[in-house]
């Protein structure tokens, strides 16, 4: 193995151990939690190595970077998640490679994604991003719709051609009442998810938890954790 592959394999093994331990601690089966590796800022060559090491889900947060990377990796058996704040003018591009868009937080985006999905005759999975730091009717500082906006947005996804409502996503807030309390934030997301599932049982994905708080997310019932740094290393600061 190359040095980089050896390094990624060791990091993946460590993350796998953390997820398995968190599942055991929570009395959950390991298969209930899917690892999504967030590959932003890292090259397509790393994505290729990850695929060789058995990773099946990857995520990106900027279309400018993700588009070319996904094209380079089009031969790999990967499921691509888009997890960044998304402008409607990027939707057409994102819809050409994303299997799941996790960061849907407004009706205009639902409409644009639906148009793109219909145009490409490709069904896209959608997660509604919940901002636990947003006041009523507002969007969060890192994207997302406030908890009281989830139901209406879910209805618009259900009604949208070409889209499939898969569930909810959140990022632990850096400010507000949940600052420094990821477990409480993820418990709140789980509550919102159980309300959503009462109306839409298939929308059972709960995407929560990153490198620093994946244990809290698994304890709170997350079905998908999004891990970047712990697998690929510390990212250079964003420009
Ligand atoms: C970058 C990113 C992650 C991964 O964060 P790490 O701390 O590097 O594990 C997860 N979710 C989203 C939405 C991200 O942008």
């Amino acid at each position: 193995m190359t040095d980089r592959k050896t390094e990624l394999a060791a990091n993946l093994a460590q993350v796998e151990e953390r997820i398995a331990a968190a599942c055991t601690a929570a009395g959950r089966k390991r298969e209930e939690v899917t690892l999504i590796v967030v590959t932003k800022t890292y090259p397509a060559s790393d994505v290729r190595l990850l695929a060789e090491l058995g990773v099946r889900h990857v995520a990106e947060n900027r279309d400018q970077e993700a588009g070319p990377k996904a094209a380079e990796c089009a031969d790999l058996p990967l499921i691509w998640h888009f997890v960044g704040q998304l402008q409607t003018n990027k939707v057409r591009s994102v819809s050409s490679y994303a299997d799941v868009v996790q960061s849907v937080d407004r009706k205009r985006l639902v409409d644009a994604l639906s148009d793109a999905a219909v145009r490409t005759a490709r069904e896209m999975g959608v997660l509604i991003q919940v901002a636990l730091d947003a006041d009523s009717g507002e969007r969060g500082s890192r994207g997302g719709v406030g908890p009281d906006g989830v139901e209406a947005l879910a209805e618009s996804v259900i009604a949208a051609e070409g889209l499939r409502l898969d569930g909810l996503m959140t990022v632990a807030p850096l400010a507000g009442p949940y600052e420094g309390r990821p477990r409480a934030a993820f418990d709140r997301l789980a509550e919102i998810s159980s309300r959503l599932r009462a109306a839409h049982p298939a929308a059972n994905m709960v995407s929560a938890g990153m490198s620093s708080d994946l244990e809290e997310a698994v304890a709170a019932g997350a079905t998908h954790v999004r891990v970047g740094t712990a697998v690929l290393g510390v990212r250079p600061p964003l420009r």
Side-chain angles (χ1 to χ4, degrees):
M1 283 205 275
T2 59
D3 287 354
R4 182 57 170 159
K5 192 170 180 182
T6 307
E7 181 185 2
L8 291 177
N11 290 349
L12 272 175
Q14 245 172 38
V15 167
E16 175 52 40
E17 216 169 279
R18 285 176 61 190
I19 295 172
C23 285
T24 303
R28 302 182 63 195
K29 295 202 195 80
R30 173 62 190 88
E31 313 86 80
E32 293 175 32
V33 180
T34 300
L35 169 65
I36 301 172
V37 179
V38 184
T39 47
K40 65 189 183 203
T41 78
Y42 286 95
S45 56
D46 278 352
V47 177
R48 195 163 286 280
L49 293 175
L50 289 168
E52 288 171 15
L53 291 166
V55 168
R56 288 297 169 261
H57 294 258
V58 294
E60 287 284 333
N61 76 334
R62 290 172 70 242
D63 176 58
Q64 300 92 302
E65 179 189 347
K69 208 186 287 187
E72 261 186 80
C73 297
D75 60 313
L76 302 174
L78 292 171
I79 294 168
W80 290 81
H81 298 255
F82 191 86
V83 299
Q85 294 189 43
L86 180 53
Q87 292 164 304
T88 47
N89 64 350
K90 302 281 195 245
V91 158
R92 238 179 125 164
S93 170
V94 167
S95 70
S96 70
Y97 56 84
D99 300 290
V100 182
V101 177
Q102 297 205 359
S103 43
V104 173
D105 59 1
R106 58 202 190 277
K107 174 78 164 60
R108 273 194 64 200
L109 195 49
V110 172
D111 295 341
L113 286 165
S114 174
D115 283 350
V118 168
R119 201 191 315 254
T120 53
R122 212 166 152 258
E123 187 180 64
M124 240 184 310
V126 160
L127 301 189
I128 293 171
Q129 182 180 347
V130 183
L132 296 168
D133 59 349
D135 286 329
S136 184
E138 289 185 7
R139 278 165 63 212
S141 52
R142 304 161 91 188
V145 63
D148 66 349
V150 169
E151 197 177 320
L153 206 50
E155 293 305 330
S156 64
V157 175
I158 292 287
E161 224 181 309
L163 303 183
R164 181 184 71 237
L165 180 65
D166 282 344
L168 301 178
M169 182 270 249
T170 204
V171 178
L174 295 176
Y178 290 107
E179 178 190 351
R181 303 168 60 221
R183 176 62 199 270
F186 299 147
D187 281 342
R188 177 86 176 98
L189 184 72
E191 240 174 70
I192 299 166
S193 167
S194 78
R195 249 192 291 141
L196 178 72
R197 279 177 287 131
H200 308 291
N204 59 5
M205 268 177 75
V206 180
S207 172
M210 319 199 296
S211 293
S212 61
D213 53 20
L214 73 86
E215 283 85 1
E216 285 86 351
V218 170
T223 62
H224 291 69
V225 292
R226 309 178 307 269
V227 179
T229 308
V231 172
L232 288 144
V234 176
R235 287 180 293 275
L238 290 177
R239 283 148 292 144

